[in-house]
Amino acid sequence: MLFSVKNSRGCFKRAMQVSKRNWLCLILIFLLYLSLTNISQVTYKKNGSSVSYDKSLHSNWMFKISKNYDYIYLREWTEPTKVIVSVSSGRGENGTAFVPTSDEKPIMEKRLKEQHYNVLASEKMSLRRSLPDYRFPECRSLIYPKKLPTATVIIVVHNEIWATLLRTVWSIIDRSPRELIEEIIIVDDASTWTHLKQPLDDYAKTLPANIKIMRTENREGLIRARIKGANMAKGNILIFLDAHIECTEGWLQPILSRIAWDRSVVAVPLIDGISTENMGYQKFPLEINGLHWSLIFDWMPVPEREIIRTKHDRTAPLRTPTHIGCAFAMDREFFFEIGSYDEGMDIWGSENVELAWRTWMCGGSLEILPCSRVAHLFRSSTYSFDGNAEQIKTRNNNRLIEVWMDEFKNRIYAAYPRTKSVSPGDLTQRKNLRKQLNCKSFRWYLENIYPESAWFKEFINMGSIKNVAENKCLDAYTIKISQNLMTYSCHNVGGAQFFAFSTSGQIMTFRDPCVGIGSDKKSVVVVKCSETDKSQFWDYKQEEKWIVHRESNLCMTKHENRIIIDTCNPFDNKFKWELKSGA
């Protein structure tokens, strides 16, 4: 007979009340209690000791589902057998880059231009190529519970290259404990390529895994297609993967173990890269994800506060403000209880940020697991959809900020004034969801999860900076570090002409770098923001309309085709600047 942990605790309590003559029964029940607790309260273990950093940011468990899985839902597993099926040429093995022959170069370049990555390289490599193991040495010594919940892997496909898709599938099969993969669901979102029809069905039947293929009648887009896959799933945990990734050794166990310990965790593997130029495996550093003013995710160093919280342990889950969205996992019931995705969003874009904010603000957590590594092909998008793509993405963004950003939404509109005119559509359901879940404020999110965010600062102005003499605006155009600033005709649409002038004296650009001084001590350039770098602080003199460099006491001015600092001149309008609000 199988006991749940809840039942075993009750049994243990009753056993404590029996007479001393039943000491043997007591010991047996106590041992059962320990074993079941060890199974249910799954966590990383090192040298026999539990490792946990779960100082919750939330005061209580607010969900209908239980925090941990019942014992009966866990499944025993064994390590997958290492399988390497390489091509005779050995191309791509161990994640190496593809090197074309002279005969291959013309077709390679043609197809690279068409698909935005090296399709020929993908086709010349084994579908089951070997990959390097870039896990930290500490990760390889971790021991995971003998029983774990099962997973359904969901892959949305629209006109994906055969070799790239199947390499994704094979990497899951070959590097995952077979017992823990309940199924792999491929959602074909109205593909038009013939190899994704009957040939894919036939090939799937030959695979040593439970492969299910579902097809949408009409284009749904990534967001709604993922929901369709989730509705069909039977595994305890949903793992959403792009159709152009490769899983590495040991990628699955940390994910399942972490969620089994706490079902409100959204677990994200450490993302590595696959080169679009040659399909070579690229090791990425250990970082977490933040956001630009444009609401596009960005990599950011692990904050010191997080290093201290995890006691400098490189195996510990890291709290991250957001995530890229190409690979993540969460409990199936939790996914639906917390609102799945916003079905009012189209294609893709903003759905990853919306999920991250909703998770944090509504009682869950979003974590990067350093011991789980998945490589992603960062190609230019080929994901087509009816309608204007920019308009659709703007609408997605507006749905995100109108539901979740509270008063901070005006900061986004200041950076991109024209986006405010795009209707987000009906938000009633999503706003009601936020109320039902009793979610925290966006200010709470910034204070507790993302204090490094530029949005957490106070500003004297957010908008454009216009030079009085020539009636042109300061422009950061490419946002490359050390790049000189220039002036350009004011276009009033934000972007490269958006500058957020903080009360502390920093001037931030639309992609978060700041305005500072170049190595020549004269040129005004784009620099990496730093609170300790005195050379990037400024003051605005309202009466004189001067932007004064605090450290040198010189003024910003236009000189020929670049911006410099020079001795302030009250008689030269080139030294005068007007701050225009974009809100």
Side-chain angles (χ1 to χ4, degrees), residues 71-91:
Y71 173 62
I72 62 173
Y73 294 113
L74 305 179
R75 187 176 294 176
E76 289 188 0
W77 59 277
T78 55
E79 291 286 348
T81 303
K82 288 187 179 181
V83 178
I84 301 174
V85 183
S86 60
V87 293
S88 58
S89 64
R91 286 168 148 179

Side-chain angles (χ1 to χ4, degrees), residues 9 38 43 119 128 156 161 187 254 259 275 308 317 326 337 373 381 495 539:
R9 287 172 180 162
N38 191 38
T43 183
V119 175
R128 305 171 76 179
V156 175
I161 296 296
V187 184
I259 297 175
S275 170
I308 293 171
C326 66
E337 183 174 339
R373 301 186 84 114
S381 174
D539 291 305

